Amino acid sequence: MAKFFYKALKNNKIEVKGYIEAENPREARDKVRGLGFLPTNIYEETFEKPKVENTESKIKSLSLNEKIFFTSELQVMLSSSIPIIESLSTVEEHAHKPKIKFIANNIKNKIMNGSTFSEALKSYENVFGAVYLGLCTAGEESGNLDKTLEYNLAVLKKQDDLKSKVISMSVYPAITVLILIAVFIICGKFVFPAFINGANISAGDIPLTVNFVVSTCEYLFKYWMIVIIALFACVWGIIKIWAQSVFKKFVDARLLEIPLVSDFIRYINLSSFFTVLNVAYESGITIVSSLELAISTISNSLIKQEAELSKNLVMRGEELSQSFVKSELVPPIFNTLIVTGEKSGRLGQMFRDIALGIDKKLDMVMSSLAKAFEPTLTVIIGIVVGYIVVAFFQLYGSMIGTMF
């Protein structure tokens, strides 16, 4: 049997340490529990204790799936009345990613040193976001942390759903563009050169259309590293320029002037806005603080200005429905639900109904965008294929000309 070193809590307060013999870590943990202790750390005794690298500063982000895993595991255990420290220990033990293991262990240790869960979570505000932290703080203060984690889980799943919708809408155009690029390169690198060499067409007889395709492909293959560096430089430059608020505001304004695209951007922002507004309000957060958390999810600067105006009007004493009317943030059909919620005292339910209604509108807009993409892509395909066909026939004509 192996020898295990353990750390545990006695009466959920006093830390105790010791050694125990067991076949594996799970058996060792069960034996420690059998002693009446709550195990917090167990490892097999060796000549050197395992070193834990302090990677807190290195953990900058978690994927949506990782956040969903962490939140769902913790929520299930807390809702089953399992203490927070033991819940975090279980998350650490079963997590499939080292980052999740480290975060769970780090938060657990901070709680054992006297911090609350929300205080320990502040170290990872950049990882989980202000909305996540704000809801956890409110939930812990009200004694409903498990319910708040359920709300957070709903928000994360909503974000994942929106992300999936955007990706699925982008797959068809992306594949089409890749196919067109492949056709262009195959013709320019293999088909046209083989035809020219086989027919012994002189450089002066090569049509301009063919010459453009061939020379472009030769340049790309000869200077591929420069092309890649130039592409990365362009992306980096766009990101830097996009960070400038003036440029971003200009682009955001232009996008809201494009039919269908304007509806898509507005509804995708309002979907997240009302989902967070519903969750925050249901968690017991004041309407102004709920608006602040919801506004942080809006990416379009002009829509964010409208939401900020609504918040400022509410702070001055305006009713929420009137503030939405004046800021023109919410379509009139949804503002009727806000008025109903204010008069009936069921504002949280109305927020949820609006979020569902906006999701349906978003699905309709995405379907319309997909249909609008089809003729556009058809035209692009026709132009590229038509150009290749014309180039081929011109090349064929040049070959016939050399025979006479």
Side-chain angles (χ1 to χ4, degrees):
M1 297 181 74
K3 189 177 183 181
F4 289 86
F5 174 81
Y6 70 85
K7 292 181 182 179
L9 292 179
K10 182 180 180 181
N11 298 326
N12 217 22
K13 294 181 180 179
I14 304 171
E15 185 178 56
V16 294
K17 302 176 183 179
Y19 294 90
I20 198 165
E21 291 186 347
E23 292 289 345
N24 52 58
R26 183 179 295 276
E27 183 181 337
R29 189 177 292 275
D30 291 338
K31 286 188 175 183
V32 172
R33 286 199 182 100
L35 297 175
F37 302 148
L38 175 63
T40 59
N41 192 13
I42 291 180
Y43 59 85
E44 186 176 351
E45 181 68 3
T46 58
F47 292 106
E48 294 183 1
K49 293 183 179 180
K51 296 179 181 179
V52 178
E53 184 183 1
N54 185 12
T55 58
E56 180 175 348
S57 60
K58 297 180 182 179
I59 299 177
K60 302 297 182 182
S61 64
L62 290 177
S63 67
L64 268 176
N65 287 333
E66 289 169 342
K67 292 177 189 176
I68 289 171
F69 173 84
F70 176 84
T71 306
S72 61
E73 290 287 306
L74 196 57
Q75 187 272 327
V76 167
M77 285 179 281
L78 289 179
S79 62
S80 302
S81 301
I82 299 175
I84 183 67
I85 292 177
E86 187 172 356
S87 298
L88 287 166
S89 296
T90 306
V91 172
E92 179 188 2
E93 182 180 347
H94 293 95
H96 55 290
K97 295 292 182 67
K99 290 192 292 186
I100 301 176
K101 287 179 179 289
F102 181 84
I103 289 175
N105 178 267
N106 190 264
I107 293 174
K108 177 189 69 177
N109 291 336
K110 288 182 177 181
I111 294 174
M112 290 169 59
N113 290 329
S115 299
T116 64
F117 176 75
S118 55
E119 289 172 347
L121 197 64
K122 283 183 180 178
S123 302
Y124 302 102
E125 183 175 356
N126 292 334
V127 175
F128 290 96
V131 172
Y132 194 102
L133 179 60
L135 293 177
C136 285
T137 302
E140 196 165 35
E141 289 175 354
S142 63
N144 293 315
L145 183 58
D146 58 330
K147 192 68 176 176
T148 302
L149 287 172
E150 185 179 340
Y151 289 148
N152 269 326
L153 188 59
V155 172
L156 292 171
K157 288 182 176 179
K158 179 66 170 290
Q159 293 174 355
D160 190 50
D161 181 56
L162 290 175
K163 179 182 175 182
S164 299
K165 287 180 178 179
V166 172
I167 291 175
S168 63
M169 188 180 70
S170 306
V171 168
Y172 176 62
I175 291 176
T176 302
V177 170
L178 289 175
I179 291 174
L180 290 176
I181 292 173
V183 169
F184 187 90
I185 291 175
I186 290 172
C187 289
K189 184 65 178 175
F190 303 105
V191 178
F192 287 163
F195 200 92
I196 292 169
N197 294 331
N200 293 320
I201 301 174
S202 63
D205 293 329
I206 299 175
L208 290 176
T209 52
V210 175
N211 203 33
F212 171 76
V213 176
V214 173
S215 59
T216 300
C217 290
E218 286 179 353
Y219 182 86
L220 290 176
F221 277 84
K222 186 176 181 180
Y223 302 104
W224 61 270
M225 187 170 290
I226 296 176
V227 172
I228 292 174
I229 293 173
L231 285 174
F232 276 108
C234 288
V235 172
W236 180 83
I238 291 171
I239 292 172
K240 288 296 182 181
I241 294 173
W242 187 260
Q244 304 298 319
S245 59
V246 175
F247 179 78
K248 185 178 186 304
K249 187 178 292 186
F250 173 80
V251 175
D252 286 342
R254 300 292 79 77
L255 289 174
L256 290 178
E257 294 174 357
I258 304 174
L260 286 181
V261 174
S262 172
D263 291 337
F264 173 75
I265 292 172
R266 182 167 291 276
Y267 284 132
I268 203 167
N269 278 278
L270 289 181
S271 178
S272 299
F273 176 83
F274 276 103
T275 299
V276 173
L277 189 59
N278 166 50
V279 167
Y281 190 77
E282 294 283 14
S283 299
I285 300 176
T286 63
I287 188 64
V288 174
S289 298
S290 297
L291 284 168
E292 288 177 349
L293 288 176
I295 288 170
S296 67
T297 66
I298 298 177
S299 59
N300 185 278
S301 56
L302 269 69
I303 298 176
K304 182 170 282 191
Q305 282 183 358
E306 296 172 357
E308 289 282 359
L309 176 59
S310 295
K311 185 196 73 174
N312 293 334
L313 290 172
V314 171
M315 291 175 66
R316 294 173 192 166
E318 291 269 6
E319 290 185 346
L320 184 62
S321 56
Q322 290 301 314
S323 73
F324 283 161
V325 170
K326 291 181 179 179
S327 67
E328 299 182 348
L329 174 66
V330 183
I333 189 172
F334 294 119
N335 205 43
T336 305
L337 294 175
I338 301 293
V339 175
T340 304
E342 288 176 329
K343 292 183 177 180
S344 64
R346 294 181 297 137
L347 198 55
Q349 181 180 338
M350 293 300 108
F351 289 151
R352 184 169 62 253
D353 291 344
I354 291 173
L356 292 173
I358 287 174
D359 284 346
K360 291 180 180 178
K361 287 282 187 180
L362 181 60
D363 288 338
M364 293 171 61
V365 171
M366 291 181 70
S367 177
S368 299
L369 273 175
K371 291 178 180 178
F373 277 145
E374 291 177 3
T376 304
L377 289 173
T378 302
V379 171
I380 294 173
I381 292 170
I383 291 172
V384 175
V385 173
Y387 184 91
I388 296 295
V389 170
V390 169
F392 180 81
F393 275 107
Q394 286 183 339
L395 185 62
Y396 184 76
S398 298
M399 182 193 72
I400 297 297
T402 60
M403 295 174 63
F404 299 97

